[in-house]
Amino acid sequence: MVSETILPGTLYIVATPIGNLADFSLRGIAVLQGVALIAAEDTRHSRPLLRHFCVHTPVLALHEHNEREVTAKLLTRLQAGDPVALISDAGTPLVSDPGFHLVGGARSAGIRVVPIPGPSAAVCALSAAGLPSDRFVFEGFLPAKQAARCQRLEALVRETRTLIIYESSHRIVAALSDMAKILGKGRAAVVARELTKRFETIRDGTLGALARWVADDPDQQRGEFVVLIRGAEAADDETGLEEERVLKILLEELSAKQAALIAARITGGRRNRLYALAQTLKPKV
């Protein structure tokens, strides 16, 4: 085992495995064994993991429903000199997981925050996807309701960086369908499911083909998902400026939806992309 000097009054942000327990770093285990308290997203989920690695440190629940209240208690412990570790159910804390208020509060109070790196589903999927990885944008989970989800996707139509999106098993079919409809059925993408686990699946194709594949196979609708989507082609500068000029004129009299429809007819641009642009240009009332 690795020995780790645990610093008093320090908040440790510890990444845990996303599936395969062998991915847990020796340093991460040593920190969890040495701190005074562990704040965990779900204690029922974390306790079996901690027992497996002979971590007997007291555990306190910190989740989205109690984070503000528990943060105050943890800051008091830290200011009194107790070292505290934060873990999520899986992966790196704060990446689509609770902890923002705790880390922000600790830094504001002058408390040292030390990251203990390890697995992250987003980076794990990106490394194996075969899509451009020099520039990417992490979107986390899309909205659960279809109208809000589609609105968010519309805003991403022109994004040129690789998109990384998390999705749950009960929404994956609907989400992929919406992605194909709004971002384009022919857009290159990858669906990564159950990363590092027994039934790990990483499949590439077009959004349309992937949406059909998942919808037709119930086995591919189980587990945790990362969807990666190739970014949009960068628009020609002159074309983009002309589209923007036309939209600005139309938006003086029309809604974003109507303006995008007419602008698409005038410029030959894609209506979904023009609608996303119109939403950014239209003044807020």
mmCIF file of all heavy atoms in Angstrom, residues 178-203:
data_model
loop_
_atom_site.group_PDB
_atom_site.id
_atom_site.type_symbol
_atom_site.label_atom_id
_atom_site.label_comp_id
_atom_site.label_asym_id
_atom_site.label_seq_id
_atom_site.Cartn_x
_atom_site.Cartn_y
_atom_site.Cartn_z
ATOM 1 N N ASP A 178 -34.086 12.211 -30.013
ATOM 2 C CA ASP A 178 -34.071 13.678 -30.094
ATOM 3 C C ASP A 178 -32.734 14.185 -30.655
ATOM 4 O O ASP A 178 -32.695 15.140 -31.427
ATOM 5 C CB ASP A 178 -34.321 14.280 -28.712
ATOM 6 C CG ASP A 178 -35.756 14.092 -28.245
ATOM 7 O OD1 ASP A 178 -36.629 13.881 -29.103
ATOM 8 O OD2 ASP A 178 -35.988 14.149 -27.022
ATOM 9 N N MET A 179 -31.633 13.551 -30.252
ATOM 10 C CA MET A 179 -30.324 13.954 -30.772
ATOM 11 C C MET A 179 -30.276 13.782 -32.291
ATOM 12 O O MET A 179 -29.776 14.661 -33.014
ATOM 13 C CB MET A 179 -29.223 13.115 -30.117
ATOM 14 C CG MET A 179 -29.001 13.389 -28.646
ATOM 15 S SD MET A 179 -27.777 12.229 -27.952
ATOM 16 C CE MET A 179 -28.067 12.446 -26.194
ATOM 17 N N ALA A 180 -30.768 12.649 -32.772
ATOM 18 C CA ALA A 180 -30.752 12.392 -34.215
ATOM 19 C C ALA A 180 -31.630 13.399 -34.955
ATOM 20 O O ALA A 180 -31.252 13.894 -36.027
ATOM 21 C CB ALA A 180 -31.214 10.965 -34.488
ATOM 22 N N LYS A 181 -32.777 13.694 -34.390
ATOM 23 C CA LYS A 181 -33.719 14.612 -35.040
ATOM 24 C C LYS A 181 -33.161 16.029 -35.121
ATOM 25 O O LYS A 181 -33.300 16.702 -36.149
ATOM 26 C CB LYS A 181 -35.040 14.620 -34.265
ATOM 27 C CG LYS A 181 -36.089 15.579 -34.807
ATOM 28 C CD LYS A 181 -37.386 15.459 -34.032
ATOM 29 C CE LYS A 181 -37.214 15.909 -32.595
ATOM 30 N NZ LYS A 181 -38.486 15.887 -31.839
ATOM 31 N N ILE A 182 -32.511 16.481 -34.053
ATOM 32 C CA ILE A 182 -32.095 17.884 -33.973
ATOM 33 C C ILE A 182 -30.663 18.100 -34.472
ATOM 34 O O ILE A 182 -30.386 19.058 -35.197
ATOM 35 C CB ILE A 182 -32.258 18.399 -32.532
ATOM 36 C CG1 ILE A 182 -33.747 18.412 -32.168
ATOM 37 C CG2 ILE A 182 -31.634 19.780 -32.362
ATOM 38 C CD1 ILE A 182 -34.039 18.665 -30.721
ATOM 39 N N LEU A 183 -29.750 17.226 -34.104
ATOM 40 C CA LEU A 183 -28.350 17.397 -34.504
ATOM 41 C C LEU A 183 -28.064 16.793 -35.869
ATOM 42 O O LEU A 183 -27.034 17.100 -36.480
ATOM 43 C CB LEU A 183 -27.423 16.776 -33.455
ATOM 44 C CG LEU A 183 -27.515 17.374 -32.050
ATOM 45 C CD1 LEU A 183 -26.564 16.659 -31.101
ATOM 46 C CD2 LEU A 183 -27.227 18.864 -32.057
ATOM 47 N N GLY A 184 -28.957 15.923 -36.337
ATOM 48 C CA GLY A 184 -28.789 15.319 -37.651
ATOM 49 C C GLY A 184 -28.567 13.824 -37.574
ATOM 50 O O GLY A 184 -27.681 13.369 -36.847
ATOM 51 N N LYS A 185 -29.363 13.055 -38.308
ATOM 52 C CA LYS A 185 -29.247 11.594 -38.290
ATOM 53 C C LYS A 185 -27.887 11.115 -38.780
ATOM 54 O O LYS A 185 -27.423 10.047 -38.387
ATOM 55 C CB LYS A 185 -30.355 10.971 -39.133
ATOM 56 C CG LYS A 185 -31.752 11.188 -38.573
ATOM 57 C CD LYS A 185 -32.795 10.523 -39.453
ATOM 58 C CE LYS A 185 -34.193 10.742 -38.876
ATOM 59 N NZ LYS A 185 -35.246 10.126 -39.726
ATOM 60 N N GLY A 186 -27.246 11.900 -39.633
ATOM 61 C CA GLY A 186 -25.975 11.485 -40.190
ATOM 62 C C GLY A 186 -24.766 11.906 -39.384
ATOM 63 O O GLY A 186 -23.622 11.592 -39.753
ATOM 64 N N ARG A 187 -24.972 12.581 -38.241
ATOM 65 C CA ARG A 187 -23.847 13.055 -37.417
ATOM 66 C C ARG A 187 -23.133 11.856 -36.778
ATOM 67 O O ARG A 187 -23.767 10.983 -36.187
ATOM 68 C CB ARG A 187 -24.369 13.994 -36.324
ATOM 69 C CG ARG A 187 -23.297 14.631 -35.447
ATOM 70 C CD ARG A 187 -22.703 15.867 -36.071
ATOM 71 N NE ARG A 187 -23.608 17.006 -36.088
ATOM 72 C CZ ARG A 187 -23.654 17.951 -35.162
ATOM 73 N NH1 ARG A 187 -22.835 17.897 -34.126
ATOM 74 N NH2 ARG A 187 -24.480 18.961 -35.286
ATOM 75 N N ALA A 188 -21.816 11.822 -36.890
ATOM 76 C CA ALA A 188 -21.034 10.731 -36.297
ATOM 77 C C ALA A 188 -21.116 10.792 -34.774
ATOM 78 O O ALA A 188 -21.064 11.874 -34.180
ATOM 79 C CB ALA A 188 -19.580 10.822 -36.743
ATOM 80 N N ALA A 189 -21.242 9.631 -34.144
ATOM 81 C CA ALA A 189 -21.399 9.583 -32.691
ATOM 82 C C ALA A 189 -20.923 8.240 -32.154
ATOM 83 O O ALA A 189 -20.662 7.292 -32.911
ATOM 84 C CB ALA A 189 -22.861 9.812 -32.302
ATOM 85 N N VAL A 190 -20.832 8.167 -30.849
ATOM 86 C CA VAL A 190 -20.444 6.932 -30.152
ATOM 87 C C VAL A 190 -21.326 6.788 -28.918
ATOM 88 O O VAL A 190 -21.557 7.770 -28.194
ATOM 89 C CB VAL A 190 -18.961 6.962 -29.730
ATOM 90 C CG1 VAL A 190 -18.627 5.788 -28.812
ATOM 91 C CG2 VAL A 190 -18.054 6.956 -30.951
ATOM 92 N N VAL A 191 -21.826 5.592 -28.685
ATOM 93 C CA VAL A 191 -22.549 5.277 -27.451
ATOM 94 C C VAL A 191 -21.661 4.353 -26.621
ATOM 95 O O VAL A 191 -21.283 3.267 -27.077
ATOM 96 C CB VAL A 191 -23.901 4.599 -27.736
ATOM 97 C CG1 VAL A 191 -24.528 4.090 -26.432
ATOM 98 C CG2 VAL A 191 -24.859 5.568 -28.420
ATOM 99 N N ALA A 192 -21.309 4.803 -25.419
ATOM 100 C CA ALA A 192 -20.494 4.001 -24.501
ATOM 101 C C ALA A 192 -21.363 3.618 -23.308
ATOM 102 O O ALA A 192 -21.908 4.486 -22.629
ATOM 103 C CB ALA A 192 -19.279 4.798 -24.048
ATOM 104 N N ARG A 193 -21.491 2.337 -23.072
ATOM 105 C CA ARG A 193 -22.393 1.840 -22.024
ATOM 106 C C ARG A 193 -21.633 0.979 -21.029
ATOM 107 O O ARG A 193 -20.787 0.174 -21.400
ATOM 108 C CB ARG A 193 -23.517 1.019 -22.675
ATOM 109 C CG ARG A 193 -24.572 0.490 -21.722
ATOM 110 C CD ARG A 193 -25.639 -0.287 -22.463
ATOM 111 N NE ARG A 193 -25.142 -1.569 -22.925
ATOM 112 C CZ ARG A 193 -25.234 -2.709 -22.217
ATOM 113 N NH1 ARG A 193 -25.809 -2.707 -21.027
ATOM 114 N NH2 ARG A 193 -24.762 -3.837 -22.702
ATOM 115 N N GLU A 194 -21.930 1.175 -19.743
ATOM 116 C CA GLU A 194 -21.369 0.339 -18.682
ATOM 117 C C GLU A 194 -19.838 0.278 -18.745
ATOM 118 O O GLU A 194 -19.240 -0.809 -18.688
ATOM 119 C CB GLU A 194 -21.955 -1.079 -18.759
ATOM 120 C CG GLU A 194 -23.428 -1.176 -18.421
ATOM 121 C CD GLU A 194 -23.687 -0.916 -16.933
ATOM 122 O OE1 GLU A 194 -23.843 0.282 -16.573
ATOM 123 O OE2 GLU A 194 -23.733 -1.873 -16.147
ATOM 124 N N LEU A 195 -19.216 1.419 -18.846
ATOM 125 C CA LEU A 195 -17.758 1.478 -18.980
ATOM 126 C C LEU A 195 -17.046 0.799 -17.813
ATOM 127 O O LEU A 195 -17.408 0.999 -16.656
ATOM 128 C CB LEU A 195 -17.310 2.929 -19.091
ATOM 129 C CG LEU A 195 -17.633 3.610 -20.421
ATOM 130 C CD1 LEU A 195 -17.386 5.110 -20.317
ATOM 131 C CD2 LEU A 195 -16.825 3.002 -21.557
ATOM 132 N N THR A 196 -16.053 0.013 -18.102
ATOM 133 C CA THR A 196 -15.191 -0.766 -17.200
ATOM 134 C C THR A 196 -15.924 -1.918 -16.517
ATOM 135 O O THR A 196 -15.322 -2.627 -15.712
ATOM 136 C CB THR A 196 -14.513 0.101 -16.119
ATOM 137 O OG1 THR A 196 -15.428 0.394 -15.050
ATOM 138 C CG2 THR A 196 -13.930 1.384 -16.685
ATOM 139 N N LYS A 197 -17.191 -2.125 -16.849
ATOM 140 C CA LYS A 197 -17.958 -3.207 -16.221
ATOM 141 C C LYS A 197 -18.034 -4.420 -17.148
ATOM 142 O O LYS A 197 -17.566 -4.403 -18.280
ATOM 143 C CB LYS A 197 -19.357 -2.704 -15.858
ATOM 144 C CG LYS A 197 -19.350 -1.524 -14.893
ATOM 145 C CD LYS A 197 -20.747 -0.987 -14.641
ATOM 146 C CE LYS A 197 -20.709 0.257 -13.777
ATOM 147 N NZ LYS A 197 -22.040 0.869 -13.592
ATOM 148 N N ARG A 198 -18.681 -5.455 -16.678
ATOM 149 C CA ARG A 198 -18.724 -6.726 -17.401
ATOM 150 C C ARG A 198 -19.323 -6.587 -18.799
ATOM 151 O O ARG A 198 -18.842 -7.193 -19.759
ATOM 152 C CB ARG A 198 -19.527 -7.752 -16.585
ATOM 153 C CG ARG A 198 -19.648 -9.106 -17.256
ATOM 154 C CD ARG A 198 -20.486 -10.058 -16.419
ATOM 155 N NE ARG A 198 -20.670 -11.338 -17.088
ATOM 156 C CZ ARG A 198 -21.456 -12.312 -16.635
ATOM 157 N NH1 ARG A 198 -22.130 -12.145 -15.496
ATOM 158 N NH2 ARG A 198 -21.577 -13.444 -17.303
ATOM 159 N N PHE A 199 -20.400 -5.798 -18.915
ATOM 160 C CA PHE A 199 -21.088 -5.675 -20.200
ATOM 161 C C PHE A 199 -20.755 -4.368 -20.910
ATOM 162 O O PHE A 199 -21.580 -3.812 -21.623
ATOM 163 C CB PHE A 199 -22.601 -5.808 -19.991
ATOM 164 C CG PHE A 199 -23.019 -7.168 -19.487
ATOM 165 C CD1 PHE A 199 -23.418 -7.332 -18.174
ATOM 166 C CD2 PHE A 199 -22.973 -8.274 -20.316
ATOM 167 C CE1 PHE A 199 -23.789 -8.589 -17.692
ATOM 168 C CE2 PHE A 199 -23.336 -9.537 -19.849
ATOM 169 C CZ PHE A 199 -23.742 -9.688 -18.534
ATOM 170 N N GLU A 200 -19.528 -3.919 -20.730
ATOM 171 C CA GLU A 200 -19.083 -2.692 -21.398
ATOM 172 C C GLU A 200 -19.307 -2.796 -22.907
ATOM 173 O O GLU A 200 -18.955 -3.790 -23.540
ATOM 174 C CB GLU A 200 -17.608 -2.458 -21.103
ATOM 175 C CG GLU A 200 -17.007 -1.284 -21.865
ATOM 176 C CD GLU A 200 -15.520 -1.129 -21.598
ATOM 177 O OE1 GLU A 200 -15.166 -0.487 -20.596
ATOM 178 O OE2 GLU A 200 -14.719 -1.694 -22.384
ATOM 179 N N THR A 201 -19.900 -1.739 -23.467
ATOM 180 C CA THR A 201 -20.153 -1.676 -24.906
ATOM 181 C C THR A 201 -19.785 -0.289 -25.406
ATOM 182 O O THR A 201 -20.227 0.715 -24.845
ATOM 183 C CB THR A 201 -21.647 -1.941 -25.219
ATOM 184 O OG1 THR A 201 -22.042 -3.181 -24.632
ATOM 185 C CG2 THR A 201 -21.878 -1.992 -26.720
ATOM 186 N N ILE A 202 -18.984 -0.229 -26.456
ATOM 187 C CA ILE A 202 -18.641 1.049 -27.086
ATOM 188 C C ILE A 202 -18.901 0.881 -28.572
ATOM 189 O O ILE A 202 -18.235 0.105 -29.249
ATOM 190 C CB ILE A 202 -17.167 1.433 -26.837
ATOM 191 C CG1 ILE A 202 -16.886 1.517 -25.332
ATOM 192 C CG2 ILE A 202 -16.849 2.772 -27.509
ATOM 193 C CD1 ILE A 202 -15.418 1.762 -24.992
ATOM 194 N N ARG A 203 -19.896 1.599 -29.067
ATOM 195 C CA ARG A 203 -20.311 1.426 -30.467
ATOM 196 C C ARG A 203 -20.346 2.778 -31.168
ATOM 197 O O ARG A 203 -20.883 3.741 -30.633
ATOM 198 C CB ARG A 203 -21.682 0.764 -30.533
ATOM 199 C CG ARG A 203 -22.173 0.548 -31.964
ATOM 200 C CD ARG A 203 -23.230 -0.504 -32.009
ATOM 201 N NE ARG A 203 -23.804 -0.698 -33.313
ATOM 202 C CZ ARG A 203 -24.170 -1.882 -33.797
ATOM 203 N NH1 ARG A 203 -23.987 -2.971 -33.065
ATOM 204 N NH2 ARG A 203 -24.724 -1.987 -34.996
#
